[in-house]
Amino acid sequence: VQLQASGGGLVQAGGSLRLSCAASGRTFSTYAMAWFRQAPGKEREFVAAISWNGGDTNYADSVKGRFTISRDNAKNTVTLTMNSLIPADTAVYYCAARRAYSDYAGDHFPDHRADYWGQGTQVTVSS
């Protein structure tokens, strides 16, 4: 599976962005998907995950209520809709895929490992 992330950019605090991750291959629906981010000088951190069928989602506390992860298995895409952005959201955002073994999103990325990673897209939130 190859992952291509897009949609990053520069936005003012309080604004919104939508990130997309397009996956190649015909097995997309067999993977749980997630978004991670890494700010300069910081470790990569988990942002959100979604189960293989979209039926379950999981979020980092720092983004709950502001970010929404969704997927379209017919289009091989996963989307991260980010609202009420704050400067602390500034980072490179990566999409990730891990072969699904349960219906629960939270089961798949506890160790921040993935089978496949996208190339990252920069999100910058100005104050």
Side-chain angles (χ1 to χ4, degrees):
V1 174
Q2 291 186 323
L3 304 175
Q4 181 74 36
S6 62
L10 174 64
V11 64
Q12 289 187 332
S16 299
L17 279 176
R18 179 178 294 179
L19 305 183
S20 292
C21 179
S24 64
R26 293 179 290 181
T27 61
F28 177 74
S29 63
T30 66
Y31 288 84
M33 299 296 296
W35 287 93
F36 289 80
R37 66 187 182 186
Q38 187 166 20
K42 295 187 177 181
E43 294 187 352
R44 184 171 56 199
E45 65 172 345
F46 169 80
V47 175
I50 189 166
S51 62
W52 67 273
N53 61 357
D56 186 59
T57 56
N58 189 37
Y59 296 92
D61 288 342
S62 59
V63 307
K64 278 181 182 177
R66 301 188 298 121
F67 291 9
T68 302
I69 188 171
S70 59
R71 68 187 295 161
D72 185 337
N73 284 347
K75 296 182 178 180
N76 282 15
T77 58
V78 60
T79 300
L80 184 69
T81 301
M82 305 184 294
N83 296 320
S84 302
L85 285 161
I86 59 177
D89 295 320
T90 296
V92 178
Y93 284 70
Y94 299 90
C95 58
R98 195 159 196 184
R99 188 172 294 279
Y101 57 87
S102 82
D103 292 341
Y104 300 101
D107 287 347
H108 294 85
F109 302 94
D111 54 0
H112 293 193
R113 291 186 177 182
D115 296 325
Y116 301 97
W117 292 91
Q119 88 287 4
T121 186
Q122 176 71 46
V123 172
T124 303
V125 184
S126 63
S127 57

